[in-house]
Amino acid sequence: AGGGAGLSPERRAALGASLPLVQRDYRFERVWFWGCIQGVRGAYYIAQGLGPDRAAPRSRLYSLNCLDWSLLTPATKEMLALAEQVKGRFQGDPSFEYNLAEINAEAAARLIEGGKEPVIKEEARLIATIEQIDRAVGIVPRGAFVKTPLGSVHENRHFEGLSLVEAKKLSSYFHFTEPVNLKNKTLLEKADLDPSTDFLDSLEHDIPRGSWSIQLEKGGSVVVLRSLLWLGLTFYHVPRTKQFGYVYFGTGEKNLDLPFML
């Protein structure tokens, strides 16, 4: 609510009733409410289903009314590439088709050569956008998850939250996705890292620099991080407790003007 977005009491009640049923029906270990992508004619409410291994690909579902949920297919490289061609607001209709011939003639020509229609459905764009947001700005506090010697990732039972001093630093937060920068670090840089907790990329090296805003709210009792690259992504953490999470309320459009705004 601090970011000027939220759910009405009716939507909250609907989520409280429908998400436990989703967890039961799909046999998820946990279900997270991921957020909402606002379209021109309607909104998509997104939830994520998690299994025992938190680093495994997550199941994603969407709903138009917070009651009836539909499972989304996993994002593919082709889907991500096509979705990047589409600009502008979502319509709010999963069956709406974008004509690629009007957007990018080259991409449309490649699809026609491959025997496919030069269109992309809004549902595919939705899948790709959720994947992009999760990869770019889905974050967790340092130490909240541990990696076992077998490679699976689990919640750290000994995590008691960051101290207030640590919570104010960008280096205390990690991208909860496959690391990229970590692989490029030298052995000397890796020497101080704990392989069980420091197995993800830190936010301090994010490009462009300044793409995160850190604020203290409720008299300094809650640390809030907001992404300036994907406007609408808000992460919160209550220092010295296990409470943290993020939610996205936005239009599903990347802020491409950010480098000029910093």
Side-chain angles (χ1 to χ4, degrees):
L7 293 166
S8 66
E10 293 85 358
R11 296 285 186 214
R12 285 187 189 190
L15 284 174
S18 64
L19 288 182
L21 295 176
V22 167
Q23 184 174 352
R24 184 198 69 188
D25 294 345
Y26 288 96
R27 297 182 180 178
F28 294 136
E29 195 169 278
R30 274 185 71 185
V31 172
W32 283 348
F33 175 65
W34 182 88
C36 167
I37 292 180
Q38 190 68 46
V40 177
R41 297 195 292 268
Y44 296 104
Y45 299 92
I46 318 294
Q48 288 191 338
L50 305 164
D53 183 359
R54 293 291 191 258
R58 293 159 224 169
S59 300
R60 298 186 174 113
L61 307 97
Y62 78 93
S63 172
L64 301 173
N65 57 9
C66 291
L67 288 170
D68 306 308
W69 295 88
S70 305
L71 195 63
L72 292 167
T73 57
T76 62
K77 284 184 180 178
E78 184 187 24
M79 219 182 265
L80 291 164
L82 289 176
E84 281 188 4
Q85 309 292 333
V86 183
K87 301 288 182 281
R89 293 281 300 273
F90 278 80
Q91 296 301 308
D93 173 10
S95 59
F96 180 82
E97 293 184 341
Y98 298 94
N99 188 350
L100 279 174
E102 297 171 7
I103 302 164
N104 187 320
E106 284 183 25
R110 281 198 296 273
L111 280 178
I112 293 167
E113 281 174 21
K116 296 176 182 174
E117 284 190 66
V119 294
I120 177 170
K121 280 197 169 184
E122 181 148 291
E123 190 177 62
R125 185 189 175 194
L126 179 69
I127 293 165
T129 302
I130 297 168
E131 181 69 24
Q132 282 179 311
I133 292 172
D134 258 351
R135 282 187 192 178
V137 290
I139 60 175
V140 293
R142 181 178 184 269
F145 292 88
V146 290
K147 190 172 188 176
T148 65
L150 297 172
S152 59
V153 175
H154 303 281
E155 286 176 25
N156 185 359
R157 293 178 187 174
H158 304 293
F159 177 68
E160 294 297 335
L162 300 170
S163 68
L164 190 57
V165 175
E166 288 292 315
K168 293 179 190 173
K169 298 177 185 174
L170 271 183
S171 56
S172 299
Y173 301 96
F174 291 152
H175 287 282
F176 199 41
T177 185
E178 192 67 31
V180 179
N181 297 334
L182 194 65
K183 293 172 184 172
N184 301 328
K185 285 193 173 183
T186 62
L187 289 172
L188 197 61
E189 288 173 311
K190 288 181 181 177
D192 296 331
L193 303 179
D194 182 343
S196 64
T197 54
D198 300 320
F199 57 93
L200 299 167
D201 281 337
S202 163
L203 263 61
E204 62 183 331
H205 303 300
D206 277 15
I207 298 171
R209 286 188 180 275
S211 61
W212 289 97
S213 137
I214 300 184
Q215 289 152 339
L216 295 177
E217 294 188 2
K218 292 190 177 178
S221 62
V222 181
V223 179
V224 174
L225 275 76
R226 290 190 175 91
S227 172
L228 305 179
L229 188 62
W230 288 94
L231 296 169
L233 189 288
T234 305
F235 170 88
Y236 75 93
H237 174 49
V238 182
R240 292 183 288 277
T241 74
K242 294 188 175 191
Q243 288 180 287
F244 69 88
Y246 66 87
V247 71
Y248 178 81
F249 278 90
T251 58
E253 295 174 284
K254 194 176 186 179
N255 181 15
L256 299 173
D257 297 328
L258 180 61
F260 305 102
M261 296 164 74
L262 295 171

